[in-house]
Amino acid sequence: RWNFQVTLTLSCYLMGAMMGFVDDFAKIHAKNSRGIPGRMKLLIQLLLTIGITIAIRYQPDFYAKYCTLPIPFSNCIWTITSLGIFIIFLFLVLGGSSNAVNLTDGLDGLVTKCSIPVLLFLAMATISTGSVTLSAFLHLPHISGNGELAVICMAILGTLVIFQWHNGYPATIFMGDTGSLSLGMLMGMVGFLSGLPFHFAIAGGIFVLEALSDIIQVLSFKYLNGRRIFKMAPIHHHFELSGLHEVKITERFGILSWLFSLFGIMGFGQFFH
């Protein structure tokens, strides 16, 4: 059957793949090391966000549920009160996830090891919110049809397991922007549609740290007279320049990603009732 959430998720996934492919094509065949300018990527992501917002807005039941978002480790609910705030928040989730995963794709196997536990978290989150019984037991919002998203998450997870066989150090196959942008876009969309975007932010803590380190590095260089907080950003390159082997970095980041994902699950409301 046609599923609204699946349609939105696959649309985001394909848009991310297309954007990444153009970026990779420009770098490899057109010999343009910059690829698509960063502002152009953000503009495309913003337009996609607006399109998704319009689609959700014309589904009144869904829109109301996505405007009331539970806060992890509390009984609090954050209510989105305007369409403008909805667009900004969705853009932060989609654009932030897509670009953060893209930034993390800098060492052999790093993105894959960090994404597998996050996808497992997302599968559990969508199954929980898609089930009347589980959502009531865990004190989570019930969103009909969300369970279908778990199928997508597990399909991508299975693909990444096989991909990791060849992408582990030393890598013989690479994800490129085609893979990282689409993967990040997909996880961001599922994270939002699960109805638990704040829990998703915890589960994807490694990606959040990678993005924050890059932002901090840019701001420090701009406003602290050229000073840099890290030896190189994003943060996995800082550890690499500090003398840590990339295999050790990917292993430790992978372990941390599992821990972050467990914390995301622990944030479900049942633990606080």
Side-chain angles (χ1 to χ4, degrees):
R1 294 182 298 172
W2 179 80
N3 182 287
F4 179 67
Q5 296 97 305
V6 169
T7 303
L8 289 182
T9 300
L10 292 182
S11 297
C12 282
Y13 184 65
L14 291 173
M15 181 59 71
M18 290 169 59
M19 184 166 60
F21 177 79
V22 172
D23 202 38
D24 285 335
F25 187 86
K27 290 176 181 177
I28 297 170
H29 294 282
K31 306 300 181 183
N32 179 3
S33 60
R34 292 186 59 193
I36 301 176
R39 292 183 180 180
M40 180 62 71
K41 289 181 184 176
L42 291 174
L43 178 60
I44 294 171
Q45 290 165 348
L46 177 60
L47 293 175
L48 179 63
T49 301
I50 293 172
I52 291 169
T53 302
I54 293 171
I56 295 175
R57 189 69 182 88
Y58 278 94
Q59 302 280 334
D61 292 338
F62 283 110
Y63 181 73
K65 290 181 179 179
Y66 291 129
C67 284
T68 52
L69 306 173
I71 306 298
F73 301 104
S74 74
N75 295 318
C76 301
I77 300 290
W78 181 54
T79 303
I80 299 177
T81 56
S82 72
L83 190 62
I85 295 175
F86 187 94
I87 292 174
I88 293 170
F89 183 72
L90 179 56
F91 175 69
L92 288 174
V93 175
L94 274 183
S97 177
S98 180
N99 293 318
V101 174
N102 184 238
L103 285 170
T104 308
D105 187 25
L107 298 177
D108 293 350
L110 182 58
V111 164
T112 312
K113 286 189 175 182
C114 293
S115 297
I116 287 174
V118 178
L119 286 165
L120 188 60
F121 161 82
L122 289 172
M124 295 177 66
T126 50
I127 288 173
S128 299
T129 56
S131 165
V132 176
T133 306
L134 278 176
S135 60
F137 174 72
L138 295 171
H139 298 279
L140 298 175
H142 171 60
I143 304 172
S144 179
N146 257 11
E148 299 290 337
L149 293 173
V151 180
I152 296 176
C153 291
M154 296 308 293
I156 299 298
L157 189 155
T159 305
L160 288 180
V161 169
I162 302 302
F163 176 76
Q164 180 64 15
W165 186 274
H166 302 282
N167 185 239
Y169 179 86
T172 55
I173 187 172
F174 300 93
M175 185 177 290
D177 288 351
T178 308
S180 60
L181 285 174
S182 58
L183 178 62
M185 194 78 79
L186 180 138
M187 291 196 293
M189 191 72 257
V190 176
F192 183 83
L193 292 176
S194 70
L196 307 172
F198 294 112
H199 297 72
F200 166 62
I202 294 174
I206 286 294
F207 300 121
V208 174
L209 291 175
E210 291 275 14
L212 284 177
S213 67
D214 199 62
I215 293 169
I216 291 170
Q217 187 82 330
V218 171
L219 292 178
S220 66
F221 183 78
K222 186 174 182 179
Y223 295 108
L224 297 179
N225 298 321
R227 289 181 57 194
R228 291 178 170 87
I229 302 298
F230 305 103
K231 294 179 180 179
M232 187 176 178
I235 198 168
H236 60 261
H237 288 311
H238 169 81
F239 291 117
E240 194 176 18
L241 291 177
S242 298
L244 209 59
H245 194 278
E246 67 174 280
V247 174
K248 186 76 74 174
I249 297 170
T250 56
E251 290 294 335
R252 290 179 177 177
F253 274 45
I255 292 170
L256 287 173
S257 188
W258 279 104
L259 292 174
F260 279 126
S261 296
L262 287 173
F263 287 142
I265 294 170
M266 289 171 62
F268 288 179
Q270 170 61 23
F271 294 98
F272 303 95
H273 287 77

